[in-house]
Amino acid sequence: MSQSAYRTHYATQVTEAEIGQEVTVAGWIDRRRDHGGVAFVDLRDRTGLVQVVIYDEELARPLRSEYVVQITGEVRERPEGNDNEHLSTGHIEIVSQQITILAKSDALPFQVSTALENESENKLPGEDVRLKYRYLDLRRPSMQSNIRLRAKMNAAARAALDNMDFCEIETPTLIRSTPEGARDFLVPARLVPGSWYALPQSPQLLKQLLMVGGFERYYQIARCYRDEDFRADRQPEFTQLDIEMSFASQEDVIAMAEQVLAAVWKAAGFEITLPINRISWQDAMDKYGSDKPDLRFGNEIVEMTEYFKDTPFRVFQAPYVGAVVFKGGADQPRRQFDGWQDWARQRGAKGLAYVQFSGNGELKGPVAKNLSDAEREGLQQAVHAEDGDAVFFAAGPRESSQSLLGAVRVEIARRQGLLKADEFALTWVVDFPLFKSTDDPDDDDVAVGHSQWTSMHHPFTMPSADWIDTFDKDPAHAMSDSYDIVCNGEEIGGGSVRIHRTDIQDRVLQVLGISDEEAQDKFGFLLEAFKYGAPPHAGIAFGWDRAAQILSGANSIRDVIAFPKSGGGQDPMTGAPAPIPPEQRAETGVDYEPEED
Amino acid sequence: MSQSAYRTHYATQVTEAEIGQEVTVAGWIDRRRDHGGVAFVDLRDRTGLVQVVIYDEELARPLRSEYVVQITGEVRERPEGNDNEHLSTGHIEIVSQQITILAKSDALPFQVSTALENESENKLPGEDVRLKYRYLDLRRPSMQSNIRLRAKMNAAARAALDNMDFCEIETPTLIRSTPEGARDFLVPARLVPGSWYALPQSPQLLKQLLMVGGFERYYQIARCYRDEDFRADRQPEFTQLDIEMSFASQEDVIAMAEQVLAAVWKAAGFEITLPINRISWQDAMDKYGSDKPDLRFGNEIVEMTEYFKDTPFRVFQAPYVGAVVFKGGADQPRRQFDGWQDWARQRGAKGLAYVQFSGNGELKGPVAKNLSDAEREGLQQAVHAEDGDAVFFAAGPRESSQSLLGAVRVEIARRQGLLKADEFALTWVVDFPLFKSTDDPDDDDVAVGHSQWTSMHHPFTMPSADWIDTFDKDPAHAMSDSYDIVCNGEEIGGGSVRIHRTDIQDRVLQVLGISDEEAQDKFGFLLEAFKYGAPPHAGIAFGWDRAAQILSGANSIRDVIAFPKSGGGQDPMTGAPAPIPPEQRAETGVDYEPEED
């Protein structure tokens, strides 16, 4: 490590080897304690802490927490019994000879001391205060470590990709609005009054054009933008690791992506085993009620539709009945089962039917009495429960029932402490449908076209080989060559083989209800490019903020972003966004009116 | 290198070692020639070319330029006399057994063949056509190589910085408008109607806040935005390598930056000698008439003010007279000297006085007769000219005259072929003034405040140590701790020690004519942050597009950017910026009117 004008050593570079030497350190006063007229100061810099002893009261008097100081002194062994085994510098201390105050500090709105953080994180103020004083929040060791982890992830991913001959290419962010399923941020173009740029939702079309341009292997850690309504844990600008390959199949992309993931996980100190498991989209929905299943634990959903097909219980006379076992959950007090009802209702369900297998063959719970004798008899075996387990049921339309049961299994695991932050269950979800219905009320994406079908991924996704000829005749069943990578119940990446032929792209746009004219207007340039020798290509994009959150064990993506926005897209620190003066507005050209002829 | 679903080898992986083997290659048909019923196809992929021989006329018939094909065949040695020493694969060829056309191509609007490019670049169409079909332009080897060079530069810079323990951190691009000397691009905030984000001109304030946040060593290859009027060779969005260090002096930053520069130059195949020379801003202006002098050649400006202080020649009765020698330029025909007058007038000068030293002590040229005998006598020695040289003069205000002479010396060097693209003359320009006058008519930056002074760099630049107490009493002479790095007459980077104390920042803002209220409104968050222990810090930013242009020998920064904008900020390929439909405009909230009470 280098030295600078202000120091000879970083704090943690002061070791037993420096005993007897004079050193100069610089940093913040993390904590000050006084014992019998002697001041003990923990000096903090980006590497950690070192203890400074100050015998001279004059020198010590002005020093306060978070003052920035430069201290020169002699290194000595700590007196016996004063070692601090928690610190790498815990066996030495610096006896201060000279102290320069480089900057003072007002009393902080909240404490950032390393020592306090180690004792408890609970003293943190609300997130709005943390965001307003983000520069102070960033001094906390956990934030320092989150942000530094991101840098390590970047380096690891780039090294893996460079090693596979990928070329990093920057794509523009003042682009033409393209249809990718969310709302664009728009930028008025002063030099072309009445016209607007859009900020990219992703470099999707541009990376496809790079493939047409012959680069074959591209990547970029790219800033992307979506102007969405408030959603917890989303940001208006976010980062993705964006990758595209020519002359590549789904298998080629998956093999490449696994190398990247293994490298990134390794950089964070974790091993993953390759190849990563795969599950079909349909299996994920059936077994886990989610297209991003959390596989840190099992406890699959058991379909009971067939079992209850002749049931006298009206609630179970439904197109779909499924169950999830709560291992050892039979002896929850009634109050707790009532709590589950509330939990289900908050998710929009009517309630959550359950039975308890209390042992001795006894079946308890409000549903029990509604079942036929035969149903009661075989139930425990049919749902794979044991004595002492409870079982939750959902009945109704297949998709919403599975989704509820999927949430139930995660909530059970959460209560059982099975969701460990340092355990990573990665899986590929494959065999996605090409389209989905625009009627789905749970879906808050914007349909890209005007028909009853919208793209499951995006309009540039290739139908799977079996469906090339027929996808537009049977959009409800057509499958695509696309894939998501899921970790611990979060989608951390997704991609597809892309359409590289104008004829197929035209047919997909027709299914989506996008007219030729609209297609020409919105991405005629892509269709034009496909006329001049477009290679087959495929790619993937990783949600880099989410991946960083998972790897750092943070509670929110805001904890892995240096300067995030709050939920409403605001920055409490700078006050962005802000009103602008009329002359600045006039310059943007948004009020331009074309002259009439 | 890896193989994919579509190929066993890249084109240039097919070597003598593969002779007798069956290989599959995939790529574009770069060129096709036919000889005696046999077709010869150059197949191009991202690694280069390989020759394919097709004996089967059926197979060969449909193949056209830029078709995308997959070809399987046996590798053989080329028949004697058919070797191509220009190709790494020039000793072998593939005898085609199977050809799959993966995509067809219409006739191209311009040729992109590697073979043609090697013969002549002059066949390229105008830049608008190149930009409209950028995906084709990018297939040309020179564009491929420019873009790949950028990736190498990125990797080299990051490795050097990682090695010095810098941490890569992303800063937001939807920020609050900050005063940095140019116009901001603005983004309406739909969720906060009537409010706007700005796109950053640089991460300046955010990186300073990262220093307050304790990161100490930060870097980022950052996208930046300036909404400027048309200027040749500028882009509305551009990239800088942005770096900041805490507890660092100017010397620390320069030493660090030189490591980065050496690494980047090395990645491009060039050596630079460290340490890099330095020149003071005043010397640069006096000797080279520019704060970004081209030092690939000497030919300094000679000040002649004193020499001509009693001259009878009215033109030279000026506050400043300077001269530049045109070595061997005495025997230019009169027509050519007239051309120089036109050249000078196009730059806004009245003309360009000159004399010719033709030998035999004879002094020619229109100015000669206006000089006194004594002036004529000593002139050749005073300007350091020799027989056969011409000398150009400028007289008038010091700054504009020096600027003209600075341009003259570059133009002379250009005509003499001294501006070699693969020769790099790097220099630090140091000792800049802190402020400059807002009266300067040549300066097209926007003043950040409302006084007669604006910042030479930006308002966050630290006065030099000598001026800390007095800079606001004598802004005309105050100096700053700032530095530019210049290469071949282009500024490729610049930085400064920053102000980290509220009191100094307040005084600088006062000189700039920024009121307390305005300061609070615009960057109160920075002044607030300085209250809580801000470390001394300093940094630099490199203009990454310009650096890539210089290192690649490209004529324009547009040639090192994958998808650049044309001069008016437009993209001929996508048609961005574009009008938006009324409903999209309504959503942006730009027409929001607050309700009256």
Side-chain angles (χ1 to χ4, degrees):
Chain A
M1 287 194 271
S2 1
Q3 284 78 25
S4 80
Y6 287 86
R7 54 163 75 101
T8 61
H9 293 70
Y10 281 111
T12 60
Q13 282 179 316
V14 184
T15 65
E16 279 93 331
E18 277 73 32
I19 286 171
Q21 287 181 30
E22 183 182 282
V23 298
T24 300
V25 291
W28 288 261
I29 295 181
D30 192 69
R31 192 157 63 152
R32 172 196 174 141
R33 286 147 298 152
D34 290 87
H35 288 298
V38 181
F40 295 85
V41 159
D42 285 341
L43 182 104
R44 184 186 72 236
D45 67 18
R46 72 181 178 83
T47 69
L49 300 177
V50 67
Q51 177 166 292
V52 179
V53 188
I54 310 167
Y55 291 102
D56 181 340
E57 279 186 53
E58 283 299 308
L59 271 183
R61 187 170 302 124
L63 303 181
R64 302 272 179 281
S65 274
E66 298 305 311
Y67 274 36
V68 182
V69 292
Q70 182 186 34
I71 298 178
T72 300
E74 193 180 307
V75 183
R76 72 175 185 196
E77 203 168 355
R78 291 199 191 186
E80 222 178 301
N82 287 4
D83 286 4
N84 180 344
E85 299 297 339
H86 298 298
L87 287 186
S88 68
T89 59
H91 299 284
I92 57 90
E93 58 193 11
I94 300 171
V95 182
S96 164
Q97 287 149 358
Q98 199 186 328
I99 299 181
T100 306
I101 295 176
L102 299 171
K104 297 183 177 183
S105 175
D106 286 0
L108 262 56
F110 56 94
Q111 294 308 307
V112 302
S113 155
T114 300
L116 286 171
E117 171 139 7
N118 291 345
E119 286 159 18
S120 156
E121 287 228 32
N122 295 333
K123 290 171 185 164
L124 277 182
E127 195 171 19
D128 262 16
V129 177
R130 288 176 57 204
L131 289 179
K132 179 168 166 56
Y133 299 97
R134 188 59 161 185
Y135 41 86
L136 299 179
D137 197 39
L138 287 172
R139 288 187 194 163
R140 296 189 304 110
S142 69
M143 287 302 299
Q144 288 270 324
S145 129
N146 291 352
I147 300 293
R148 291 183 195 285
L149 176 64
R150 272 191 89 125
K152 280 188 213 164
M153 290 170 59
N154 291 355
R158 291 194 191 105
L161 286 160
D162 289 347
N163 193 41
M164 291 184 279
D165 284 310
F166 281 77
C167 180
E168 183 184 24
I169 304 176
E170 290 186 76
T171 54
T173 57
L174 294 173
I175 65 163
R176 175 142 193 176
S177 186
T178 55
E180 281 180 82
R183 199 181 287 106
D184 285 326
F185 280 106
L186 294 169
V187 185
R190 184 179 56 86
L191 292 177
V192 193
S195 289
W196 301 67
Y197 299 105
L199 300 178
Q201 294 179 38
S202 82
Q204 181 62 36
L205 297 192
L206 294 161
K207 70 177 174 175
Q208 293 193 241
L209 291 172
L210 287 174
M211 296 304 104
V212 180
F215 280 99
E216 296 198 32
R217 294 185 162 219
Y218 141 94
Y219 77 92
Q220 180 182 201
I221 296 182
R223 199 68 60 85
C224 306
Y225 305 83
R226 290 186 188 191
D227 186 8
E228 292 178 307
D229 291 333
F230 173 77
R231 289 203 214 179
D233 228 19
R234 292 274 186 112
Q235 288 284 310
E237 56 180 314
F238 57 97
T239 300
Q240 70 187 32
L241 170 57
D242 194 49
I243 305 174
E244 196 78 6
M245 304 169 72
S246 291
F247 303 105
S249 65
Q250 172 167 323
E251 290 306 320
D252 292 324
V253 176
I254 285 179
M256 172 279 298
E258 292 191 347
Q259 294 301 318
V260 174
L261 288 166
V264 169
W265 254 248
K266 192 171 175 195
F270 303 107
E271 287 283 328
I272 53 181
T273 311
L274 300 185
I276 291 168
N277 292 330
R278 302 187 194 184
I279 184 172
S280 75
W281 177 82
Q282 192 61 60
D283 271 4
M285 299 305 284
D286 289 346
K287 294 182 179 168
Y288 306 105
S290 171
D291 58 1
K292 39 188 184 184
D294 193 333
L295 301 183
R296 279 174 292 183
F297 57 98
N299 206 21
E300 292 176 11
I301 298 168
V302 183
E303 175 157 5
M304 301 292 286
T305 318
E306 183 65 24
Y307 186 86
F308 288 118
K309 72 172 193 294
D310 301 318
T311 187
F313 183 33
R314 291 198 43 163
V315 173
F316 284 6
Q317 292 165 5
Y320 172 88
V321 184
V324 166
V325 174
F326 190 161
K327 189 115 294 263
D331 58 354
Q332 295 174 79
R334 177 60 187 253
R335 184 171 33 80
Q336 223 150 330
F337 281 110
D338 290 346
W340 277 101
Q341 305 308 310
D342 294 341
W343 176 90
R345 279 191 287 268
Q346 276 165 19
R347 298 193 77 265
K350 286 184 190 142
L352 198 59
Y354 65 92
V355 298
Q356 298 150 276
F357 295 102
S358 309
N360 314 320
E362 205 187 348
L363 186 64
K364 295 203 302 187
V367 163
K369 64 178 184 303
N370 296 301
L371 305 182
S372 71
D373 287 348
E375 282 167 354
R376 297 163 61 109
E377 189 69 30
L379 189 57
Q380 183 164 346
Q381 199 184 348
V383 300
H384 312 304
E386 294 179 326
D387 287 354
D389 294 349
V391 174
F392 291 108
F393 295 96
R398 170 175 290 265
E399 226 172 288
S400 58
S401 305
Q402 285 179 338
S403 169
L404 176 62
L405 292 169
V408 167
R409 72 178 275 281
V410 173
E411 179 61 19
I412 291 170
R414 196 185 65 74
R415 295 183 185 201
Q416 293 179 329
L418 299 178
L419 303 184
K420 295 187 181 124
D422 58 352
E423 193 180 298
F424 304 100
L426 286 150
T427 188
W428 290 103
V429 179
V430 295
D431 301 333
F432 278 86
L434 183 59
F435 302 108
K436 63 183 175 185
S437 169
T438 49
D439 301 336
D440 184 354
D442 287 345
D443 191 13
D444 40 12
D445 283 353
V446 179
V448 295
H450 318 283
S451 82
Q452 69 170 116
W453 301 108
T454 189
S455 295
M456 192 83 174
H457 275 83
H458 56 54
F460 315 107
T461 304
M462 185 70 106
S464 60
D466 298 346
W467 286 91
I468 292 276
D469 296 329
T470 52
F471 69 85
D472 41 354
K473 298 190 187 90
D474 186 9
H477 296 102
M479 302 296 285
S480 69
D481 272 359
S482 57
Y483 32 88
D484 281 354
I485 179 78
V486 169
C487 181
N488 296 2
E490 301 278 2
E491 180 196 326
I492 56 169
S496 60
V497 178
R498 324 297 186 186
I499 299 167
H500 69 282
R501 279 168 42 191
T502 311
D503 59 330
I504 300 177
Q505 188 69 69
D506 280 344
R507 286 164 56 210
V508 165
L509 295 176
Q510 268 169 31
V511 174
L512 299 175
I514 297 176
S515 69
D516 281 0
E517 195 189 345
E518 190 182 352
Q520 278 305 324
D521 180 51
K522 285 193 173 159
F523 36 86
F525 58 96
L526 184 72
L527 302 175
E528 172 81 4
F530 285 170
K531 291 185 190 164
Y532 300 104
H537 57 288
I540 192 168
F542 294 98
W544 214 229
D545 306 297
R546 187 71 60 202
Q549 182 202 338
I550 289 174
L551 278 175
S552 65
N555 292 320
S556 154
I557 58 167
R558 291 184 297 282
D559 284 348
V560 296
I561 297 173
F563 298 106
K565 301 289 189 298
S566 69
Q570 287 168 301
D571 175 5
M573 179 178 72
T574 63
I580 54 172
E583 58 275 19
Q584 207 175 357
R585 179 185 172 100
E587 278 198 326
T588 65
V590 291
D591 298 319
Y592 163 84
E593 305 220 348
E595 281 175 43
E596 310 261 336
D597 278 342
Chain B
M1 288 194 271
S2 3
Q3 285 77 27
S4 80
Y6 287 86
R7 54 162 75 99
T8 60
H9 293 70
Y10 282 111
T12 59
Q13 283 179 315
V14 184
T15 65
E16 278 94 330
E18 277 72 33
I19 287 172
Q21 286 181 30
E22 184 182 281
V23 299
T24 300
V25 291
W28 288 261
I29 295 181
D30 191 71
R31 192 157 63 154
R32 173 194 172 143
R33 285 148 298 152
D34 290 87
H35 287 298
V38 181
F40 295 86
V41 159
D42 284 341
L43 182 104
R44 184 186 73 236
D45 66 19
R46 71 181 179 82
T47 68
L49 300 178
V50 66
Q51 177 166 294
V52 179
V53 188
I54 310 167
Y55 291 102
D56 182 339
E57 278 186 55
E58 283 299 307
L59 271 183
R61 186 170 303 123
L63 303 182
R64 302 274 180 280
S65 273
E66 299 306 309
Y67 273 36
V68 182
V69 292
Q70 182 184 35
I71 297 178
T72 300
E74 194 180 306
V75 183
R76 72 172 187 199
E77 202 169 356
R78 291 200 191 186
E80 221 177 301
N82 287 4
D83 287 4
N84 180 344
E85 299 297 338
H86 298 298
L87 286 186
S88 67
T89 58
H91 298 285
I92 56 91
E93 59 193 8
I94 300 171
V95 182
S96 165
Q97 287 147 0
Q98 199 185 328
I99 299 181
T100 307
I101 294 175
L102 300 170
K104 297 184 178 181
S105 175
D106 285 0
L108 263 56
F110 55 95
Q111 293 309 305
V112 302
S113 156
T114 299
L116 286 173
E117 171 139 6
N118 291 346
E119 287 160 18
S120 157
E121 287 227 33
N122 295 331
K123 289 169 187 165
L124 277 181
E127 195 170 19
D128 262 16
V129 176
R130 288 176 55 204
L131 289 178
K132 179 167 167 57
Y133 299 97
R134 187 61 161 184
Y135 41 86
L136 299 179
D137 196 39
L138 287 171
R139 286 185 195 165
R140 295 189 304 112
S142 69
M143 288 302 299
Q144 289 269 324
S145 132
N146 291 352
I147 300 294
R148 291 184 195 284
L149 175 64
R150 273 190 89 124
K152 279 188 213 163
M153 290 171 58
N154 291 355
R158 291 193 191 105
L161 287 160
D162 289 347
N163 193 42
M164 293 184 277
D165 284 309
F166 281 77
C167 180
E168 183 185 23
I169 304 176
E170 288 186 77
T171 54
T173 57
L174 294 172
I175 66 163
R176 175 140 191 177
S177 185
T178 55
E180 282 181 83
R183 199 182 287 107
D184 285 326
F185 279 105
L186 295 168
V187 186
R190 184 180 56 87
L191 292 177
V192 193
S195 288
W196 301 67
Y197 301 104
L199 301 178
Q201 294 179 36
S202 83
Q204 181 62 35
L205 298 191
L206 295 161
K207 71 176 173 174
Q208 293 193 241
L209 292 171
L210 288 174
M211 296 304 103
V212 180
F215 280 99
E216 297 197 32
R217 294 183 164 222
Y218 141 93
Y219 76 91
Q220 181 182 200
I221 296 181
R223 200 67 61 86
C224 305
Y225 304 83
R226 291 187 187 189
D227 186 8
E228 293 178 306
D229 290 334
F230 172 77
R231 289 203 215 178
D233 228 19
R234 291 275 185 111
Q235 288 284 309
E237 56 179 315
F238 57 97
T239 301
Q240 68 186 35
L241 170 57
D242 195 48
I243 305 175
E244 197 78 6
M245 303 170 73
S246 293
F247 304 106
S249 65
Q250 172 168 322
E251 290 305 320
D252 292 324
V253 176
I254 285 179
M256 172 279 297
E258 292 190 349
Q259 293 301 317
V260 174
L261 287 166
V264 170
W265 254 248
K266 192 172 174 193
F270 303 107
E271 288 283 330
I272 53 181
T273 312
L274 300 186
I276 291 168
N277 292 330
R278 301 186 195 186
I279 183 171
S280 74
W281 177 82
Q282 192 61 60
D283 271 3
M285 300 305 285
D286 289 346
K287 293 182 180 167
Y288 306 104
S290 170
D291 58 1
K292 39 189 183 184
D294 193 332
L295 301 184
R296 278 175 292 183
F297 58 98
N299 207 20
E300 294 176 10
I301 297 169
V302 182
E303 175 159 2
M304 300 292 286
T305 318
E306 183 64 24
Y307 186 87
F308 288 116
K309 71 174 193 296
D310 300 317
T311 188
F313 183 34
R314 289 196 49 161
V315 173
F316 284 6
Q317 292 165 6
Y320 172 88
V321 184
V324 166
V325 173
F326 190 160
K327 189 118 295 267
D331 58 353
Q332 293 175 82
R334 177 64 187 251
R335 184 171 33 81
Q336 221 147 331
F337 279 110
D338 291 346
W340 277 100
Q341 305 308 311
D342 294 340
W343 175 90
R345 279 190 287 268
Q346 274 165 21
R347 296 193 80 263
K350 286 185 192 141
L352 199 57
Y354 64 92
V355 297
Q356 298 150 279
F357 295 103
S358 309
N360 313 322
E362 204 187 349
L363 185 63
K364 296 202 301 185
V367 162
K369 64 179 182 302
N370 296 300
L371 305 183
S372 72
D373 286 350
E375 282 166 354
R376 296 165 60 112
E377 187 70 26
L379 188 58
Q380 182 162 347
Q381 198 182 349
V383 300
H384 313 303
E386 294 177 328
D387 286 354
D389 294 350
V391 175
F392 291 107
F393 294 95
R398 170 174 290 265
E399 227 171 288
S400 59
S401 305
Q402 286 179 338
S403 169
L404 175 62
L405 292 169
V408 168
R409 73 178 273 283
V410 173
E411 180 60 20
I412 292 171
R414 197 185 64 73
R415 295 184 186 201
Q416 292 179 329
L418 298 177
L419 304 183
K420 293 186 183 127
D422 58 352
E423 190 180 302
F424 304 101
L426 286 150
T427 188
W428 290 102
V429 179
V430 294
D431 302 331
F432 278 86
L434 184 58
F435 302 108
K436 63 184 174 184
S437 169
T438 50
D439 301 337
D440 183 353
D442 286 346
D443 191 14
D444 40 11
D445 282 354
V446 179
V448 296
H450 317 282
S451 81
Q452 70 171 114
W453 300 107
T454 189
S455 296
M456 192 84 175
H457 275 83
H458 55 54
F460 315 108
T461 304
M462 185 71 107
S464 61
D466 298 345
W467 286 91
I468 292 277
D469 296 329
T470 52
F471 69 84
D472 39 355
K473 298 190 187 89
D474 186 9
H477 297 101
M479 302 295 284
S480 69
D481 272 359
S482 57
Y483 31 88
D484 281 354
I485 179 79
V486 169
C487 182
N488 296 2
E490 300 278 359
E491 180 195 327
I492 57 168
S496 60
V497 178
R498 323 299 185 184
I499 298 167
H500 69 284
R501 280 167 44 190
T502 311
D503 58 331
I504 300 176
Q505 187 71 69
D506 281 345
R507 287 165 55 211
V508 166
L509 296 177
Q510 268 169 31
V511 174
L512 299 175
I514 296 175
S515 69
D516 281 0
E517 195 190 345
E518 190 181 353
Q520 279 305 323
D521 180 52
K522 285 194 174 159
F523 37 85
F525 58 96
L526 183 71
L527 302 175
E528 172 81 3
F530 285 169
K531 291 183 189 164
Y532 301 105
H537 56 289
I540 193 168
F542 294 98
W544 214 228
D545 306 299
R546 187 72 57 201
Q549 182 202 337
I550 289 175
L551 277 174
S552 65
N555 292 320
S556 154
I557 58 168
R558 292 185 297 280
D559 282 349
V560 295
I561 296 172
F563 298 105
K565 303 286 189 298
S566 68
Q570 288 170 299
D571 175 6
M573 179 178 71
T574 63
I580 55 172
E583 58 275 18
Q584 207 175 356
R585 178 184 173 102
E587 277 198 327
T588 66
V590 292
D591 298 319
Y592 164 83
E593 305 221 346
E595 282 176 42
E596 310 262 337
D597 277 342

